[in-house]
Amino acid sequence: MALTGGRIGLDRGHDGRVAYLTIDHGKYNIITMETRQVMADRFAEIDADEDIQVVVIQGDGEHFSSGGDISGFMELDPVDFTDLGQNITAPARSPKPVITAVDGYCFGVGLELALSTDIRIATQRSEFALPEMRLGMIPGSGGTQRLARLIGLSRAKYHVMTATRINARQAGDWGLVASVVEDRAALDAEVERVVKALLGFSPLAARTAKEVLDKGVDAPLYSGIELERKAYAMLRSSHDFAEGVAAFTEKRSPKFQGR
């Protein structure tokens, strides 16, 4: 069946503190319905593992992902699409920082997956698109909403409604990605630089920052500031904050424990 196939590899690095998820399904890393569920299963495993502090999602080979398995779309009943966006967007619900390393195509559900992560880094040859209009369809896993919040409503309408690709330079200028690097080698190096930076911080502070940013951005300004203030007060009583202050005073590197 076209609905099945594909692999999400899970490897660990940095003494088990980093989970590397690799999409592996042919030259274009097509994402099937089975792959969607595997991604959710991987994150269930990752989220339950207290040792893992950072997650990296990448594609195997030339492209991150060209999108979904179009040939399998008509094998599903309409009711099967009701919860379409819940599995592939598991990174958005994860309490851990999630980085996406994009090289080459990042289309359709591949882009929706990337949009549900926290930090996106891309190569100069990368291209981004939500091409569902070409099939008489619209994005169904958060693409319209997340893209509009990142690049603005006017740009999102243009690129969704005309299925026009976004090049890496535009993606960088508009904030769709955090940075653009020259090639795959530079991408790997930049991802590792960000990983090491995140590993040096308190896991509790990182989790709290992600939650405050995600929940506050769609709230009225006053509510967002109130959420930030209460989160700040909560962290004030944490072991990691006391350790951070002590390390700063003693001019040494902190040893955070995530509590």
Side-chain angles (χ1 to χ4, degrees):
M1 293 178 64
L3 300 175
T4 62
R7 174 177 174 270
I8 305 291
L10 171 57
D11 299 295
R12 296 178 65 156
H14 294 275
D15 298 322
R17 295 180 295 161
V18 181
Y20 295 90
L21 296 177
T22 304
I23 306 170
D24 182 4
H25 191 190
K27 179 179 179 180
Y28 297 105
N29 288 322
I30 292 171
I31 296 175
T32 64
M33 295 301 290
E34 179 183 11
T35 310
R36 285 172 172 268
Q37 187 54 48
V38 172
M39 182 64 75
D41 294 341
R42 291 299 195 198
F43 267 93
E45 179 182 351
I46 289 168
D47 293 348
D49 191 328
E50 295 183 359
D51 292 333
I52 296 175
Q53 294 178 230
V54 182
V55 185
V56 176
I57 302 177
Q58 57 197 355
D60 181 67
E62 297 181 29
H63 300 284
F64 179 73
S65 173
S66 66
D69 192 338
I70 297 174
S71 60
F73 286 176
M74 299 307 294
E75 296 180 29
L76 294 171
D77 291 326
V79 69
D80 295 325
F81 290 99
T82 304
D83 297 321
L84 186 64
Q86 287 300 107
N87 44 28
I88 200 68
T89 58
R93 297 183 299 278
S94 174
K96 310 184 190 241
V98 185
I99 303 167
T100 300
V102 178
D103 187 30
Y105 294 161
C106 185
F107 297 162
V109 68
L111 177 52
E112 291 179 301
L113 168 63
L115 289 172
S116 73
T117 65
D118 305 304
I119 299 171
R120 289 164 294 280
I121 303 170
T123 60
Q124 291 180 355
R125 76 182 193 95
S126 296
E127 296 181 88
F128 305 83
L130 293 171
E132 287 83 356
M133 289 291 288
R134 299 184 186 279
L135 301 175
M137 181 50 73
I138 66 169
S141 297
T144 60
Q145 301 306 300
R146 288 194 168 98
L147 189 66
R149 284 161 171 77
L150 279 170
I151 70 173
L153 182 59
S154 180
R155 286 175 179 147
K157 281 185 176 181
Y158 173 76
H159 286 281
V160 170
M161 296 172 73
T162 67
T164 302
R165 298 182 184 183
I166 300 171
N167 62 42
R169 179 188 58 78
Q170 291 171 319
D173 290 345
W174 298 347
L176 177 56
V177 298
S179 61
V180 178
V181 297
E182 184 175 355
D183 53 23
R184 187 59 176 262
L187 178 64
D188 292 341
E190 177 64 6
V191 167
E192 283 304 288
R193 185 192 69 79
V194 177
V195 164
K196 289 178 181 178
L198 290 169
L199 289 176
F201 300 137
S202 160
L204 177 60
R207 180 168 67 247
T208 303
K210 175 173 179 172
E211 183 177 10
V212 169
L213 284 162
D214 283 344
K215 292 184 177 179
V217 71
D218 288 327
L221 178 59
Y222 176 83
S223 298
I225 291 175
E226 183 69 7
L227 176 63
E228 177 188 89
R229 185 184 67 78
K230 289 182 177 177
Y232 186 97
M234 180 274 293
L235 289 173
R236 171 63 182 80
S237 63
S238 70
H239 170 277
D240 281 355
F241 179 72
E243 167 62 12
V245 171
F248 177 82
T249 304
E250 297 165 13
K251 295 181 172 56
R252 60 173 175 82
S253 298
K255 295 180 180 179
F256 295 122
Q257 299 180 20
R259 58 184 181 85

